Amino acid sequence: MSAPALDRPAAGSPGPAVDPAALQQQFEATIAADHRIEPRDWMPEGYRKTLVRQIAQHAHSEIIGMQPEGDWLLAAPSLRRKAVLLAKVQDEAGHGMYLYSAAETLGADRADLTDKLIERRQKYSSIFNYPTLTYADVGVIGWLVDGAAICNQVPLCRSSYGPYARAMIRICKEESFHQRQGYELLMTMMRGTDEQRAMVQDAVDRWWWPSLMMFGPPDDESPNSAQSMAWGIKRHGNDELRQRFVDMTVPQAKVLGVTLPDPDLTLDEATGRWRFGAIDWSELQRVISGDGPCNAERIARRRAARDDNAWVTEAATAYAAKHA
Ligand SMILES: [Fe+2]
Ligand SMILES: [Fe+2]
């Protein structure tokens, strides 16, 4: 499937001769009216490319994100915890699939996107390059990482591209369950032994700052943000979303009884918002550019999954051809 081209007639138009300026105008009017752009509609090439990049990165993050928690499936402390974790990790696989499907509506090829991920030509969320050292990390990922994902993703339910927005509605419902299961696990541990409480605090200490980095660099250093907002792909800047996450999380930390590892965290009485300390952006840069604690391991495992399972695709393709 090729990308919609300028000379292709817009949906419902009578003939092939359509004025490019009129197509552009129609696109802009759709965005301005807060209506959705659908796969059949004409769209500027930059809009299509930005969406493919963002949706692919999002899909890759869901799939790579199965690994840090998947590591604990065989070491879950009870049958109940195992069932919950299994359901969560399977949800993340489903999120990846919805999102690859959304990218396909823009003319992208799923296998090609996977190759780009494995060859490091497309990125995924920096957060999944950190290791999960204890079972408390499973809880903290649910609480903080899925919590940050919810802040990021709820506004995407109103994204201007229809298939992406609709995928996000389903995904966000499941992310809420992910956050709750994480918080419930941590609450249980905090009511347990001193050793368990120490495990939770240690996990919070390690995941707090990387969770804040999930929102990306500050707005003035985020080159694509302004255009994405103008196109209605993104609805809020990175800094606003990060602030919402902090405001939502600080009271939850209090109820849980953990200390967030930031001595500068103070309530701004005038605005009701929590001020937080400086983020180490060099760490984010390092992890994004491939030098985080687990980047090589994550990609190696994804590569092995693609290569080891290639025979399934081959067999299914041969079977389909035989019955065509
Ligand atoms: Fe997800
Ligand atoms: Fe999730």
Side-chain angles (χ1 to χ4, degrees):
M1 183 177 142
S2 65
L6 258 183
D7 57 1
R8 186 183 291 183
S13 67
V18 177
D19 177 13
L23 290 173
Q24 179 76 35
Q25 213 171 28
Q26 192 179 21
F27 170 82
E28 277 164 18
T30 304
I31 299 284
D34 204 16
H35 293 159
R36 299 289 164 266
I37 303 293
E38 295 296 337
R40 63 174 183 271
D41 296 332
W42 179 87
M43 61 191 82
E45 190 53 18
Y47 177 83
R48 194 188 71 83
K49 277 194 173 144
T50 299
L51 271 170
V52 169
R53 190 185 61 236
Q54 180 173 332
I55 296 172
Q57 282 182 16
H58 194 163
H60 298 330
S61 303
E62 302 284 356
I63 298 298
I64 294 284
M66 296 167 72
Q67 292 187 33
E69 290 176 286
D71 283 342
W72 284 95
L73 281 172
L74 295 179
S78 69
L79 182 60
R80 176 170 173 264
R81 292 294 168 198
K82 182 171 177 148
V84 170
L85 185 57
L86 191 58
K88 196 223 172 199
V89 173
Q90 283 178 334
D91 281 355
E92 305 300 7
H95 298 174
M97 295 304 117
Y98 304 154
L99 289 163
Y100 285 126
S101 297
E104 283 178 322
T105 66
L106 292 156
D109 176 76
R110 190 181 299 208
D112 176 56
L113 297 179
T114 298
D115 291 346
K116 284 189 171 120
L117 164 68
I118 289 170
E119 290 156 18
R120 301 183 180 205
R121 289 186 285 134
Q122 276 179 345
K123 296 188 192 318
Y124 57 91
S125 176
S126 55
I127 195 77
F128 301 118
N129 292 308
Y130 292 86
T132 40
L133 303 183
T134 71
Y135 209 77
D137 289 40
V138 169
V140 169
I141 288 179
W143 175 39
L144 296 182
V145 176
D146 290 277
I150 290 169
C151 288
N152 250 328
Q153 294 176 0
V154 165
L156 293 175
C157 297
R158 295 186 298 112
S159 173
S160 62
Y161 187 58
Y164 191 30
R166 289 189 289 273
M168 291 319 305
I169 292 170
R170 258 184 101 152
I171 288 173
C172 283
K173 285 182 186 163
E174 292 175 346
E175 296 300 357
S176 298
F177 151 67
H178 297 172
Q179 195 198 21
R180 288 187 76 97
Q181 66 81 33
Y183 198 74
E184 189 265 347
L185 166 58
L186 296 178
M187 206 44 127
T188 305
M189 290 185 78
M190 292 302 285
R191 290 191 194 116
T193 63
D194 284 346
E195 198 185 351
Q196 285 175 310
R197 276 186 286 277
M199 276 167 72
V200 173
Q201 184 61 57
D202 171 64
V204 170
D205 290 345
R206 284 180 288 108
W207 289 91
W208 173 249
W209 290 106
S211 298
L212 294 192
M213 293 175 200
M214 278 177 72
F215 296 90
D219 293 332
D220 49 12
E221 288 166 38
S222 179
N224 303 317
S225 261
Q227 179 61 76
S228 283
M229 295 215 344
W231 275 330
I233 296 174
K234 278 180 79 161
R235 296 291 179 176
H236 307 283
N238 297 349
D239 294 323
E240 167 60 19
L241 292 169
R242 188 169 10 249
Q243 183 65 54
R244 285 184 186 189
F245 172 69
V246 172
D247 293 342
M248 177 182 91
T249 308
V250 171
Q252 294 172 351
K254 277 214 172 85
V255 173
L256 200 54
V258 294
T259 307
L260 295 173
D262 179 357
D264 295 331
L265 206 52
T266 42
L267 181 64
D268 181 338
E269 302 281 357
T271 60
R273 311 204 90 174
W274 286 88
R275 298 285 153 237
F276 50 92
I279 294 173
D280 178 4
W281 295 117
S282 66
E283 177 177 328
L284 177 65
Q285 213 39 56
R286 213 167 44 243
V287 175
I288 280 188
S289 61
D291 202 16
C294 300
N295 295 57
E297 181 187 329
R298 301 290 184 238
I299 292 294
R301 200 190 285 187
R302 184 65 193 88
R303 181 189 293 275
R306 179 194 63 181
D307 297 348
D308 296 348
N309 296 317
W311 69 272
V312 178
T313 312
E314 268 170 46
T317 309
Y319 182 84
K322 198 168 144 189
H323 291 268

